[in-house]
Amino acid sequence: MRLGHRLLLGAALFLPPRLTPRRVRDSRHYRTIDQYRFIGWFLAAPLVVYLVFVVSPFVQAFFYSMTDWTGYTAEYTFTGTANYERMWNDDKFWEALRHSLLLLVFAPLITLSLGLFFAFMLNAGGRRRGGQAVAGVAGTRLYKIFYFFPQVLSIAIIAVIWARIYSPRSGVLNEGLSAVGLDSLRQNDWLGGRFAVWCILAVLCWSFVGFYVVLFSAAMSAIPHEIYEASLLDGATRPVTFFRITLPLSWGTVRTGWIYMGIQALDCFALVSIMVPEHGMDVLPSYLYDKAFRDGQAGYATAIGVALFAVTLLFAGLMMRLARRERIEL
């Protein structure tokens, strides 16, 4: 098919039939285009909005990352790859990146593991009753409400509450350690030293595990009970049921949740900026914010943003690739 004819076919997707050239309407490909014309018109406006407000800022970010723009004036000078060279030699950037990658690895692993465990217990961890193949623990609905409760709180409220818990003077954590005779484990600065990233990790997992309990519970409840009944007749134990039935049939939801939780781990700016004292610990978003708004180095901050975009895109691509499995038909 010639290039000109292909361009006319593409244009026919957005043209009404009376304005479409006859030689295009006579083409066998036009019938398929005619079916999708309405979809093309329906998606045209959202696509334009997406290009203007989502894609365009990304393109601008790549451009401004190669300038010395301060962010406070309209003047800037094109500097090429100078910001990226500076970033390569910036020890604080690499430290922030290390913290972000640590959260990226452990936050999804811990949160999704807990979410899967609690969801399985709520859906299939109780005693079998009434001839049911599987049954959840007693009070399942109440447990779901308790698990999901952090999701109804603002992340700022969560950060303030946990900052008080980690407080070295009157925090619940230090006082609790003293109450059980573990004074040697008390810390004078939970959020300013080597424990800061682990404290943030704990809060991040706590705040999101309830969401995944509900998400995975919905996925597990869609699994036909006949499959569990067949496994029960074969003498399968709960661990075998989980790894051979529940997890494979919920894998699509697990993969999506892993990507979503990874993005949340990379974007924990609010927790770090509210909980951690200045210079106590940085992740990529908080380091970007400091460079842009505290130091007036918007060009360099944009380069850090490009690096964060690359890490996020690489993570999502790897997860889509490594976690891909053949679809299991129920």
Side-chain angles (χ1 to χ4, degrees):
M1 187 185 301
R2 291 176 301 177
L3 179 60
H5 190 63
R6 289 182 179 178
L7 293 175
L8 287 174
L9 284 174
L13 185 62
F14 301 97
L15 292 175
R18 60 189 179 86
L19 297 179
T20 304
R22 176 172 293 277
R23 63 192 182 95
V24 175
R25 280 185 290 169
D26 293 338
S27 171
R28 60 186 179 88
H29 300 285
Y30 180 74
R31 277 175 253 154
T32 303
I33 292 175
D34 193 41
Q35 295 176 0
Y36 292 100
R37 179 183 285 108
F38 173 75
I39 299 176
W41 278 99
F42 187 78
L43 294 178
L47 181 60
V48 170
V49 172
Y50 182 80
L51 290 174
V52 172
F53 293 102
V54 178
V55 177
S56 175
F58 276 114
V59 176
Q60 294 179 48
F62 281 107
F63 172 77
Y64 284 117
S65 70
M66 293 185 287
T67 68
D68 61 355
W69 185 41
T70 63
Y72 298 110
T73 66
E75 299 177 356
Y76 57 83
T77 303
F78 187 79
T79 58
T81 59
N83 285 327
Y84 293 98
E85 293 174 3
R86 174 187 172 185
M87 187 170 60
W88 182 262
N89 298 304
D90 188 351
D91 292 336
K92 290 186 176 180
F93 164 78
W94 289 107
E95 183 180 4
L97 177 62
R98 180 172 61 84
H99 291 153
S100 290
L101 292 178
L102 189 149
L103 294 175
L104 177 63
V105 172
F106 287 101
L109 180 63
I110 296 173
T111 306
L112 270 67
S113 297
L114 291 175
L116 282 169
F117 173 75
F118 291 139
F120 183 72
M121 293 302 294
L122 293 179
N123 286 273
R127 293 181 178 178
R128 300 184 179 95
R129 50 187 180 271
Q132 295 179 349
V134 292
V137 297
T140 294
R141 294 182 180 179
L142 186 62
Y143 283 124
K144 287 182 180 179
I145 293 174
F146 283 132
Y147 287 141
F148 195 76
F149 179 72
Q151 283 294 303
V152 305
L153 297 177
S154 166
I155 192 68
I157 296 175
I158 291 175
V160 171
I161 292 174
W162 279 92
R164 295 299 302 165
I165 292 174
Y166 287 127
S167 174
R169 291 182 295 274
S170 59
V172 174
L173 181 57
N174 272 347
E175 295 300 323
L177 291 174
S178 298
V180 297
L182 297 176
D183 293 272
S184 60
L185 298 180
R186 290 171 58 101
Q187 298 295 323
N188 294 326
D189 193 2
W190 284 102
L191 296 172
R194 65 183 186 277
F195 295 106
V197 65
W198 302 106
C199 292
I200 295 295
L201 175 64
V203 178
L204 190 64
C205 295
W206 175 85
S207 61
F208 280 98
V209 69
F211 172 80
Y212 290 102
V213 170
V214 175
L215 180 67
F216 294 148
S217 293
M220 292 177 187
S221 63
I223 300 175
H225 281 204
E226 291 79 4
I227 299 178
Y228 287 114
E229 291 174 357
S231 67
L232 179 62
L233 292 175
D234 290 339
T237 60
R238 280 197 177 93
V240 173
T241 301
F242 175 77
F243 287 106
R244 295 293 181 89
I245 297 176
T246 305
L247 184 58
L249 294 179
S250 305
W251 186 252
T253 305
V254 173
R255 183 180 64 175
T256 302
W258 196 291
I259 296 174
Y260 177 73
M261 188 61 207
I263 294 174
Q264 290 295 327
L266 288 173
D267 185 26
C268 59
F269 167 76
L271 288 179
V272 174
S273 61
I274 295 174
M275 293 179 59
V276 180
E278 188 175 3
H279 306 303
M281 169 194 146
D282 271 317
V283 289
L284 284 181
S286 63
Y287 189 56
L288 183 156
Y289 178 86
D290 288 342
K291 288 301 176 183
F293 298 102
R294 186 191 65 187
D295 301 337
Q297 301 174 9
Y300 183 55
T302 308
I304 298 173
V306 172
L308 178 59
F309 168 76
V311 172
T312 306
L313 189 64
L314 180 62
F315 166 74
L318 284 175
M319 286 308 305
M320 292 294 292
R321 178 70 177 178
L322 297 177
R324 184 175 59 186
R325 289 187 177 184
E326 293 184 5
R327 182 178 177 85
I328 300 177
E329 298 292 341
L330 297 178

